[in-house]
Amino acid sequence: MAMQPTPDMSRLTVLLARQWWVLLLRGLAAIVFGVLAWMYPAMTVEVLIIMFGAYCLVDGVLGVITALVGRKRNSQWIWLLLWGLASIVIGAITFASPGVTALVLLMFIAAWAIVTGLTQLVTAIRLRKEVRGEWLLGLSGLASLIFGVLLIVIPGAGAIALLWLIAFYAVLFGILLVILSLRIRKFGQLEA
């Protein structure tokens, strides 16, 4: 049963509904990243750095676009902007430091996952009374947060184990965003 937009529905909900395809692209990018990491587990740290940096930049640019498109109609756009900017900053730092060690890369990934998780949790909480399926965004935020904390707590994990953990997280995160985008797409269709 699709929810009908109501006069008290936040502009953030309307913005996300109109830009559902951005969430879809972000989810698909995460899935592609995860699948590539699974397919090539013996890849070097340099390749992982490039893949992670590229993913963060794409994710961040799409997040910033979503925020900026709706900034005049939505007072909550700042959370989407922070999510996007965090991804861009981490992606840029990753590319600027190609000789980074696996441990520093791990901390970059952990910081990005924690910031992303927190912003997604805040967004999901703000949407909880307006959108069915907001729990998917909250769940993806919680997954990001747990993933980031685990990376900090268990930094000595082997490179292959770490790669598999990253791949699993990316695919799970991507699937949740794809499902959320398809659910929220209904709002965009109702607005049209």
Side-chain angles (χ1 to χ4, degrees), residues 33 44-57 91 94-95 98 105:
F33 172 77
T44 65
V45 172
E46 291 82 19
V47 173
L48 180 59
I49 290 169
I50 291 168
M51 286 177 60
F52 177 72
Y55 169 73
C56 283
L57 289 175
T94 301
F95 277 121
L105 175 61

Side-chain angles (χ1 to χ4, degrees), residues 58-78:
V58 168
D59 181 61
V61 167
L62 292 173
V64 168
I65 289 169
T66 301
L68 294 179
V69 164
R71 74 182 182 279
K72 291 182 181 176
R73 296 179 303 253
N74 177 9
S75 63
Q76 302 298 322
W77 66 276
I78 192 73

Side-chain angles (χ1 to χ4, degrees), residues 137-160:
L137 183 59
L139 186 59
S140 69
L142 185 60
S144 292
L145 190 58
I146 291 170
F147 176 70
V149 170
L150 283 175
L151 289 179
I152 290 172
V153 172
I154 311 171
I160 299 298

Side-chain angles (χ1 to χ4, degrees), residues 135-187:
W135 64 271
L136 292 167
L137 183 59
L139 186 59
S140 69
L142 185 60
S144 292
L145 190 58
I146 291 170
F147 176 70
V149 170
L150 283 175
L151 289 179
I152 290 172
V153 172
I154 311 171
I160 299 298
L162 176 60
L163 186 59
W164 281 87
L165 181 61
I166 291 168
F168 175 77
Y169 160 75
V171 170
L172 175 64
F173 177 75
I175 289 170
L176 291 171
L177 280 183
V178 167
I179 293 169
L180 177 65
S181 73
L182 296 176
R183 291 192 67 164
I184 206 161
R185 177 179 173 220
K186 293 176 185 180
F187 290 105

